[in-house]
Structures are given as structure tokens and as C-alpha cells.
Amino acid sequence: MLLRARRVFPVSSPPIEDGVVVIENDRITYVGAYGHTPLNAKTGHCVDLADDTLLPGFVNTHCHLEHSALKGLTTPQRPFTEWVKEVTRENASLTRGDVRSGVSRGIEALIRGGTTTLADHCHPDTEPFATPFRRVLFWEVLGAHMGRARECLEKARRRAADEGGFVTPHSLYAVHEEVSEQILAESQSRQSLHILESADEDRFFRRQDGPLAVYVQERGGDLDFPFSSPVRWLEAHHRLNSGCLLVHGNHLIPSEIGILRGSGASVIHCPGSHRFFGHKRFPLEDLKAAGVRMALGTDGLASNEDLSMLREMRLLKETYPRLTDEEVINMATIEGARALGMEKEIGSIEVGKKADLIAVRGTPLEAESVVFSMVDGRVCLNP
């Protein structure tokens, strides 16, 4: 198969005008100008994307797809702890049919927003479901009370054994410390933790009081956390490495960013969720100056209006206009692939990599939705 487009944006090399990508089975076998296409490849089926731009599929490094039915049921700009209570209450009122319908709508939104690989946080009680895109599962353990946390951990282990993926604490405030230690001590290559997302969480760790502290105690947890920072806790447990995804990080301070420098850990920014809450400014400039890898995610529809990575890119550019378009696209593609340890397979258009490709009309940072999507050489959306 050949995909011809007015412009091909490989990410790993300069854009190609009147470019073509040749695909055999699920792999890319040629990338270049259409005029230089190998003769034997020109005999294959050609999808002419006309004036569109061809890109690597987006790597959405943080989502809660199972929360898609909560869209419109939660309140923007609400204090974080009150939002957590709202999510818990509204989620309990959903039927299985509600959840399934929400997931179906979420999948469609992800495809139209350009996602071809999704890092999905899942509660171990969630019903299994299939997606047309690649899905990296993070089985999320919750439980401030040790007994609840251990019960959730056992369920998460069973799901990971049956379906693949990684067992991870939701966060270091929402999981009993001994259980978090147990999870992180196990020989897994990757974890994804919510970290310093909100003012309430910041106060919980720095001062061990405030609304989130009260809520944790109400849920059977305690406040004897031994460090004033989850970053320092992870450092002490030798878990800051290339397999560590730190989601949000809105309240990271300079000393913590210094700890992350050179650690290999990735910080995942979710611009739409950030705007939903009205959080303090994400420290992108400081993280960039420190050379810390950053990638993009949408989070879930309990805290975002959409699951479109195109929208996340636009919001990022609006907030940080000094970023180049290339830097924004990199955060949505190759940097996300690196965060997931998948950069040899996805994240750029290169010979030998997986045929995960999308096309947009116009420029990537102006497009509202994709017009073409392919995952593993299989077409998910046609113009």
C-alpha cells in the first residue's frame, strides 16, 4: 500500500513535499518524495491524501477511557478534593451499559483526535473492552486503607497476568504507603503515577493537612507520609528511571525538577485537564531547561471536554507560544513513544517502524480532526 500526501511530516527528519509512505503488512518500507518511489512499490494500492498532511499517529500518554461516561457530570473549576468526591459519587450511579456506551464514544473521539497509541489507566474492576488502536494498560491500584489497597492490588495483578500491562499506584496519596512500596519493588519495567496535580495534593504532601488530608483520613488512610514530596519518596525508593511516568506535576518545585534532571523519568502534561481545573501554571519552561522529557495526554472525560490530541496540542501552543510547532508535535509523538519505551516501534515515520499514521487537513496545529487513521497497517478512518 502507498499513502501519498501533499506533505509528509516524519518527525525524525525534515518534512517532505509531495511525499509517500510505502507499507507492507504492518511496517513502513519506504518514506520519501513520490517521484523517487521504488518502481515495484508503485504497483500497489495507492491512497491519495491529496492536499493533506501525513503524520505519525499520536501517542496519548495518559487517559482514563473508562471514565468517558462521566462527561458533563462533573463540575469545571471545582476544588480538586470536591471533584474527587463528585467523581466517586457520579461513577457509582452509572450502569454497566452507561460505561460501555461512554467507552464507545470515547474510542471514536480518540480516533478522530489522532490517537493511535493510548496509555490507559484502568481500575481492575472495569469490564474488558477492545479498541482499534494500540493500548498500553496501567492497572491502577487505589486504597488509602491498607486492606482495600491490598485487595485492589490482587485484582490488578490478576488483570495484568490475563491481559498484559503494568500494575501501578494511582498516586502516593491514594494508596497506602506499604502497598505502594510493594508495587514499586516488583520487577515491572514501567509505572505511571499521578503526582502533584493540584493545590490540595501539594498541601497534603508539604504540610500534611487540608481538604485532601481530611478525605484520605476519612477513607481510612493516615498522614505519616515520611517525605514532604512524592518525588523525594520515589528517589529514595530508586524508582525515578526511564520507566517512570509522572502525570501532571503542576506543583513541581525547582529542587524536585533538579532531582528529575537526568533521571530518565517523563512528566506527562494534560493541557485540557489543566484548563478544566484552572490549576497553577505547569512548569514547562523549567522542565525544558532541565532536559526532562515531557509528553502529552488527554486525561479522561471526567476532567476534560474532549479526548482529542489535536486539541491538547492547540491548548499547549496557546499557553506556551514560544514552543515551535515541531516541539509540540514531538511531545505528541516521539516523546510519548519514548516515555512508553516504544520509540523503536512508533512515534515517527521511519522505515522498519509500525505503520501507525494519521492525516490532517491543513497544518497539524490548526486541524480539528483527522481525516485518515491507520494502526498497525490497518485503516481505522478513511477520507
Side-chain angles (χ1 to χ4, degrees), residues 302-321:
S303 63
N304 201 350
E305 296 177 10
D306 201 347
L307 296 181
S308 169
M309 285 288 282
L310 289 166
R311 178 175 180 265
E312 299 299 317
M313 293 161 63
R314 288 197 303 275
L315 293 177
L316 181 68
K317 181 71 172 179
E318 286 175 17
T319 308
Y320 305 93

Side-chain angles (χ1 to χ4, degrees), residues 77-152:
Q77 305 292 315
R78 193 165 195 176
F80 183 76
T81 304
E82 293 304 311
W83 173 85
V84 170
K85 294 177 181 178
E86 186 177 44
V87 167
T88 303
R89 182 176 63 251
E90 295 293 345
N91 200 44
S93 70
L94 297 174
T95 67
R96 289 186 175 183
D98 293 334
V99 174
R100 285 194 293 268
S101 296
V103 166
S104 295
R105 293 192 298 271
I107 288 170
E108 182 179 350
L110 286 162
I111 292 170
R112 293 195 175 277
T115 292
T116 56
T117 294
L118 182 72
D120 197 11
H121 273 233
C122 310
H123 191 278
D125 287 336
T126 302
E127 287 188 345
F129 56 86
T131 64
F133 40 76
R134 188 173 289 100
R135 188 163 163 243
V136 179
L137 300 170
F138 286 98
W139 298 105
E140 194 172 71
V141 175
L142 286 158
H145 182 272
M146 185 185 291
R148 283 198 293 272
R150 283 181 170 166
E151 180 183 354
C152 190

